[in-house]
Amino acid sequence: MKERFELAILRNEKANDHLAWIEACRKYPEKIGYKVIDITSKNWLDEVQNNVYDFFLARPPGYIDYYKRLYDERIYIISEILKLPVYPTLNEILIYENKRMLSYFLKARKIRHPETWIFYNEEETIEFSEKCNFPVVAKTSIGGGGSGVSILRTRKEIKEYINKSFSAKGVTRSYLPNIRKGNYLERISNRLANPGKSIEYFREKKNNAIIDPQKWFVIFQEYIKTDYEWRCVVVGDSYFGHKKLRNIGEMISGTSRVSWDYPDEELLDFVRKIVGENNFWSQAIDIFYNAEKGYLVNEMQCFWGSKNSHQMILDGRPGRFVNRDGHWKFEEGNFNSNNSYDLRMEHVLKIMGNRK
């Protein structure tokens, strides 16, 4: 078995998004060497091909649609044309921060999800709006934390949304502070501690939203009435879960309020089936539960944000579930340090070890 591996970290247009990969690599100085490649640069392909790497560590962007398309196209070349190993997998990257692609994927793979309608034809969209039931959830294809989500309740609201979508103006996702997160005093204190950085953060967020409105298509989704959604996290063989609770308003996306209820075997089996049948390696799956329809996948992301060193608590103990010979077993511990990148790195090492 090979004793040392050379990895390439594929950074996106953001200066800091890939730094957690670097931190994870540095924990294995004797096992891992790494190089950062700016996949947005003109010579990205030369850098990929001019050296031999054991694995490519991706960090797709989720801020501006045209950078997302750039990243996806170049990952496709690396993974499918050059046949080089990428973590996470190509399909995980393609559905990340692309609600159009996610909708097609869920329907094609027959994974239960809220019914979703995507229109590129204005006449079809108007016809839908005249017959649909309300409320209807409108989403932008890119945009985390509920920033591109609107709940439309009347024919007038949906007509205005359609008119804006099929115009040069387009639909702009929100760039204002997310009041659904809560923790107001702590957040304000953190922002005031470094006002220059905070001003720059909000300026960039506003600029990204303004320069990248969604135009010429719409995404509508069935409204599911619920007080919570499950956040189920899977990295390799590690499974975690907790509830995300509504904080302010109706939307759950973007809230930081959680309940440390843990998933039962039915939910764990549902998630395991999804990641197993699709050979997924790194997923945070947001799941509604509806009494009539059962579990419904709302979102899937191969990267997610969390300040906690754990993603699940069972009887006061942080830990994870693993499946051994068809049985779920709880293992105690903090497995999500470095925003789960350390756990991803363990998984990468395991994959490379099995291949050599």
Side-chain angles (χ1 to χ4, degrees), residues 178 180-181 244-247 251-257:
N178 183 359
R180 293 188 304 280
K181 273 190 173 183
K244 297 166 62 180
L245 304 179
R246 182 182 292 118
N247 195 17
M251 292 190 294
I252 299 173
S253 296
T255 181
S256 59
R257 186 175 170 224

Side-chain angles (χ1 to χ4, degrees), residues 209-276:
I210 290 174
I211 68 175
D212 189 39
Q214 179 169 290
K215 304 177 183 179
W216 316 122
F217 72 93
V218 297
I219 303 173
F220 292 141
Q221 182 175 292
E222 170 190 13
Y223 179 89
I224 302 294
K225 186 173 179 57
T226 181
D227 292 324
Y228 65 88
E229 67 180 359
W230 283 101
R231 161 60 62 90
C232 292
V233 170
V234 184
V235 180
D237 297 327
S238 300
Y239 287 73
F240 312 85
H242 59 266
K243 284 180 180 177
K244 297 166 62 180
L245 304 179
R246 182 182 292 118
N247 195 17
I248 293 178
E250 287 190 79
M251 292 190 294
I252 299 173
S253 296
T255 181
S256 59
R257 186 175 170 224
V258 303
S259 171
W260 294 110
D261 299 24
Y262 55 90
D264 60 18
E265 291 193 1
E266 182 184 0
L267 179 53
L268 289 169
D269 289 339
F270 177 70
V271 172
R272 184 170 180 244
K273 188 172 188 288
I274 293 172
V275 297

Side-chain angles (χ1 to χ4, degrees), residues 45 57 62 69 74-75 96 107 109 119 132 135 192 202 230 243 249 261-262 273 277 282 293 304 318 325-326 352:
L45 190 53
L57 309 179
R69 293 197 303 270
R74 296 182 178 188
I75 288 291
Y96 173 73
K107 188 172 183 178
R109 297 296 289 164
F119 297 101
C132 68
L192 292 177
F202 285 111
W230 283 101
K243 284 180 180 177
D261 299 24
Y262 55 90
K273 188 172 188 288
E277 290 182 349
S282 171
K293 300 185 177 184
W304 55 91
D325 300 320
M352 291 190 298

Side-chain angles (χ1 to χ4, degrees), residues 160-217:
E160 291 174 349
Y161 189 91
I162 292 169
N163 289 340
K164 189 180 293 185
S165 298
F166 289 93
S167 73
K169 183 178 182 180
V171 172
T172 301
R173 59 188 182 269
S174 174
Y175 50 82
L176 298 175
N178 183 359
I179 63 172
R180 293 188 304 280
K181 273 190 173 183
N183 301 326
Y184 307 117
L185 294 178
E186 179 184 351
R187 291 168 63 199
I188 292 171
S189 177
N190 291 339
R191 291 299 180 190
L192 292 177
N194 195 333
K197 185 177 179 180
S198 299
I199 291 171
E200 182 59 31
Y201 167 78
F202 285 111
R203 180 184 292 126
E204 181 181 25
K205 190 175 179 182
K206 179 180 179 180
N207 289 341
N208 287 346
I210 290 174
I211 68 175
D212 189 39
Q214 179 169 290
K215 304 177 183 179
W216 316 122
F217 72 93

Side-chain angles (χ1 to χ4, degrees), residues 21 40 61 73 257 281 301 355:
W21 270 131
T40 70
E73 291 164 0
R257 186 175 170 224
W281 290 338
Q301 307 100 358
R355 288 181 175 179

